Amino acid sequence: MPYVTSADGTRIAVYEYGEPTAPVLIAVHGYPDNATLWEPVALRLAEHFRVITYDVRGAGESDQPRQRAAYRLERLEEDFTAVLDTVSPEQPVQLLAHDWGSIQSWHFVTSERLLGRIDSFVSISGPSLDHVGYFLRSRWRSWEGLKQLMHSWYVFYFQLPWLPERGWRKGWAHRVFGRLERSAGGTASAEGERSLGDYVNGLNLYRANVLQRLARPRERRTGVPVLAVSPDGDAFVTTPLQTDVARWAPNLSVQVVRGGHWMPRNDPGLVARLTLEHTRRVAGWRA
C-alpha cells in the first residue's frame, strides 16, 4: 500500500507501522515536514496501534500539484478520506496531528462527511483556521490577540510572492526559523528529512486557505473527544489560541507541556504517552 489516489487524481504516499489487526491511528504531519516526522512516535505506538502516516500532498513522496487551489482544505480532506477508505473503511480511527496536520485535522473532525469515522483526536500546535478567525475577531484589542498576531508574523510573510521561496532556496529562512525554535528551548533541525519541495510546495497551504478562512470563518463544531496539547515554548502558536475552543469542541481536554513547537521530534515519548492515555480514556480502547 505505498500510494492511495485522492479524488482529484493526486497520489498520496502512505506508510504503516504495527500489527495489521490492531486499532488504526492515523498521524498527519505539518509544514514543512513530511511523514518521517512521525517515525519516532509511531515506533513507540506500534505495539498498541496500526499506525498510518502519509505525506501530505506537496511533501515527501506524494504528488506535488502546482495549482494553489489544489491545496485547499477541501482537497486535503479528500486525501485523508482516500487514506481512511483504504486503511479502515468500516471502523472509526484515532487521529493524531501536528502543526498544519492539526489545522487540516480540525477540518476533518468538524466535517459532516466524516461524521462517525474519527473516534478521538490529539491536536498538537495547530488550531482550526475557522476558530482562529473567531478568536482574533473577539480579542483583536486584547493582549492575547496582539500576542498571537506577533507570533503569527510568518503567516503574512508566506503570502508574499516569490520572496518566501527564495528564502528557502538560499538558506537564510532556515536560519531564521531555526533560531526562533531554539530560543524557545526546542530544535527545528530536520534538514536531512526534508526536501526543498517540502518547504516550497507547502507555502500553498497558507496561500490557499489562511486569509480566506480568517476573513470568513465558519461555525465548525465537533463532538469528537479532543486533546489539545500546547507546548509552553511554542514560538508560533500561543496556548489560548490552541486551547480556548470548548465552544466548538465541548468534549475537550487540555494539556500544557514544557517544550517547543516541534514536540513530535523533540519529545516523541511524551507524544506517544499522551496519545495512548487520551485514546484509552475517551475512545473506550484498552491495551
Side-chain angles (χ1 to χ4, degrees):
M1 189 190 56
Y3 290 93
V4 300
T5 303
S6 192
D8 67 352
T10 300
R11 294 191 314 156
I12 303 299
V14 181
Y15 311 91
E16 182 172 345
Y17 306 79
E19 291 296 323
T21 58
V24 175
L25 180 145
I26 301 178
V28 189
H29 70 83
Y31 173 83
D33 291 302
N34 54 53
T36 60
L37 170 80
W38 290 117
E39 185 170 357
V41 177
L43 291 174
R44 288 167 168 81
L45 291 175
E47 64 179 290
H48 304 284
F49 295 101
R50 179 189 178 196
V51 182
I52 304 295
T53 67
Y54 65 94
D55 291 323
V56 172
R57 59 172 58 203
E61 299 301 318
S62 290
D63 286 349
Q64 303 176 1
R66 300 186 66 177
Q67 302 84 0
R68 181 178 301 182
Y71 292 83
R72 289 176 180 163
L73 286 168
E74 292 78 10
R75 303 289 80 76
L76 302 177
E77 181 180 336
E78 291 171 354
D79 297 347
F80 175 77
T81 301
V83 174
L84 184 59
D85 287 346
T86 300
V87 302
S88 190
E90 298 180 356
Q91 297 297 321
V93 302
Q94 321 307 320
L95 183 58
L96 167 64
H98 171 256
D99 185 80
W100 252 98
S102 286
I103 291 174
Q104 58 184 292
S105 291
W106 273 107
H107 191 80
F108 307 158
V109 299
T110 58
S111 169
E112 292 185 2
R113 289 185 291 272
L114 293 173
L115 189 64
R117 304 201 65 183
I118 300 169
D119 257 355
S120 69
F121 175 32
V122 177
S123 172
I124 306 171
S125 294
S128 161
L129 291 182
D130 294 279
H131 299 167
V132 173
Y134 284 106
F135 179 92
L136 294 178
R137 286 184 177 198
S138 65
R139 307 193 189 191
W140 69 277
R141 291 185 177 180
S142 70
W143 168 242
E144 287 182 346
L146 178 60
K147 185 178 180 182
Q148 180 56 58
L149 286 173
M150 293 169 63
H151 276 65
S152 298
W153 63 268
Y154 66 95
V155 174
F156 304 99
Y157 162 72
F158 285 159
Q159 305 298 321
L160 298 174
W162 69 263
L163 184 61
E165 286 90 339
R166 183 174 178 83
W168 293 128
R169 290 189 173 104
K170 294 297 184 180
W172 52 263
H174 301 267
R175 294 190 292 273
V176 170
F177 283 91
R179 189 176 299 115
L180 284 172
E181 181 64 7
R182 287 190 294 274
S183 70
T187 174
S189 178
E191 299 311 312
E193 301 171 1
R194 299 169 178 161
S195 70
L196 180 60
D198 296 338
Y199 289 98
V200 172
N201 297 324
L203 292 169
N204 282 317
L205 295 169
Y206 293 87
R207 294 167 177 171
N209 296 290
V210 173
L211 296 184
Q212 298 89 326
R213 292 283 172 168
L214 296 188
R216 295 183 296 276
R218 304 173 187 176
E219 296 270 351
R220 299 189 68 94
R221 305 176 187 275
T222 182
V224 172
V226 177
L227 173 63
V229 180
S230 174
D232 61 1
D234 198 315
F236 307 109
V237 190
T238 62
T239 292
L241 187 67
Q242 298 180 62
T243 62
D244 191 10
V245 292
R247 170 185 173 187
W248 316 106
N251 202 350
L252 174 72
S253 302
V254 171
Q255 187 79 47
V256 179
V257 298
R258 293 189 62 84
H261 182 76
W262 269 276
M263 185 179 165
R265 180 176 295 110
N266 298 334
D267 200 345
L270 178 57
V271 172
R273 178 174 65 80
L274 292 175
T275 301
L276 188 58
E277 290 175 353
H278 177 65
T279 304
R280 284 173 166 168
R281 183 171 64 251
V282 304
W285 182 83
R286 296 291 183 270

